[in-house]
Amino acid sequence: MSPVIRRAFTDLSVGQVHHAACGDPAAPAVLLLHQSPRSWREYAAVLPLLGEHWHAIAMDTAGFGDSAAGEVPAAIEHYARVALELIDALSLPRVHVVGHHTGGVVAVELAALAPSRVALLVLSSTPFTDAAFRRARAERPPIDEVAPSNDGSHLMALWQRRQGFYPPDRPELLEAFVRDALAVADPEAGHRAVAAYRMEERIGLITQPVCILRATADPFAAPHAQELMHHLPQATLVEIDGGMVPVPDQMPEAFAAAVHGFLSGLPA
């Protein structure tokens, strides 16, 4: 029988923050951070797999899913501070941290902010956000921002913006994305936070062992893997062949196996 997923709210500085957990609370803890504008549900199929070995915790980033945003402007530093508050509130002295896309950028900041609290770090489809990244991002249109329409055509526009980056035979993955995007006041906030983050000033503070997960069919993040490897010489690169933007819920078994293998010290 798969471990049960249990959900809870915790009162933090921003208000109520939601998380879902799976596995033995006495086991080593693994904190999972999602991409924007998703929620903990990005890891719904991963949690029971990791929960067989770990105390797996997927939180809703501040302002996403069922977590309050607080009054502080959206920023990677803000998201990381709230994640650290949750770690404190759950009385977890140390955690492994897994981040996907935006969650990977938050994971970098969390590891730099509180190095004694982060044991191992898994960066999945994580961009390297330096000056060149910020310039390029400023020249591109918003990723998930669509203007509301009276006939509901904005819902189709939201779907179509992402359609080319999702498996064509898995409409349920796009449905999950659209549900999460519609649930937040500003689905573009996380992308703006990533675009403003000065990772080049923080990544040198990371001394923890790192695994870089490269989803080979993710055109946004796959090209950044080698750049991250350059800045994190201690890192190990693991590829998930055929993985796309939604790799945690597209290929949960492969994703969980890669995370578990690295955290357990198993060969890739």
Side-chain angles (χ1 to χ4, degrees):
M1 181 180 296
S2 297
V4 175
I5 296 175
R6 301 188 183 280
R7 301 170 61 187
F9 286 90
T10 304
D11 290 322
L12 303 178
S13 65
V14 294
Q16 288 196 318
V17 168
H18 172 261
H19 74 274
C22 194
D24 183 356
V30 181
L31 179 67
L32 299 119
L33 305 172
H34 60 80
Q35 69 171 303
S36 299
R38 293 300 313 274
S39 70
W40 76 273
R41 293 185 184 280
E42 179 165 65
Y43 295 112
V46 171
L47 280 172
L49 300 173
L50 289 180
E52 294 178 3
H53 310 279
W54 310 90
H55 180 203
I57 303 160
M59 71 177 291
D60 286 341
T61 302
F64 294 89
D66 289 323
S67 288
E71 301 300 323
V72 179
I76 296 300
E77 295 85 352
H78 171 57
Y79 298 154
R81 284 192 297 269
V82 175
L84 183 58
E85 289 180 23
L86 180 64
I87 293 169
D88 287 338
L90 297 179
S91 300
L92 301 173
R94 261 185 126 205
V95 298
H96 303 306
V97 179
V98 178
H100 180 62
H101 270 266
T102 303
V105 182
V106 177
V108 167
E109 176 60 23
L110 181 57
L113 174 68
S116 65
R117 308 297 297 281
V118 176
L120 303 182
L121 193 61
V122 178
L123 304 178
S124 169
S125 299
T126 300
F128 179 68
T129 64
D130 61 355
F133 178 93
R134 291 188 289 275
R135 284 193 301 271
R137 184 65 190 88
E139 295 171 358
R140 294 202 301 266
I143 298 171
D144 294 317
E145 185 176 271
V146 294
S149 58
N150 292 332
D151 63 359
S153 58
H154 63 291
L155 303 180
M156 179 61 75
L158 192 60
W159 180 287
Q160 291 173 337
R161 288 270 185 95
R162 290 270 183 154
Q163 192 168 17
F165 309 110
Y166 279 61
D169 58 344
R170 299 285 303 278
E172 77 279 7
L173 300 181
L174 264 173
E175 289 174 6
F177 158 74
V178 171
R179 284 197 299 270
D180 277 345
L182 293 175
V184 300
D186 183 2
E188 197 66 20
H191 302 310
R192 288 196 302 271
V194 169
Y197 183 60
R198 305 178 74 87
M199 188 183 289
E200 72 273 27
E201 298 177 2
R202 303 292 282 169
I203 197 166
L205 299 175
I206 294 176
T207 59
Q208 298 92 334
V210 179
C211 176
I212 295 171
L213 291 186
R214 181 180 180 268
T216 61
D218 183 337
F220 293 113
H224 290 272
Q226 290 302 325
E227 197 164 15
L228 286 172
M229 291 287 290
H230 172 74
H231 290 277
L232 297 167
Q234 76 275 32
T236 300
L237 178 65
V238 175
E239 293 193 336
I240 299 180
D241 191 38
M244 301 179 76
V245 168
V247 66
D249 45 2
Q250 173 200 1
M251 303 173 70
E253 292 85 3
F255 187 90
V259 170
H260 173 64
F262 175 70
L263 299 185
S264 302
L266 302 175

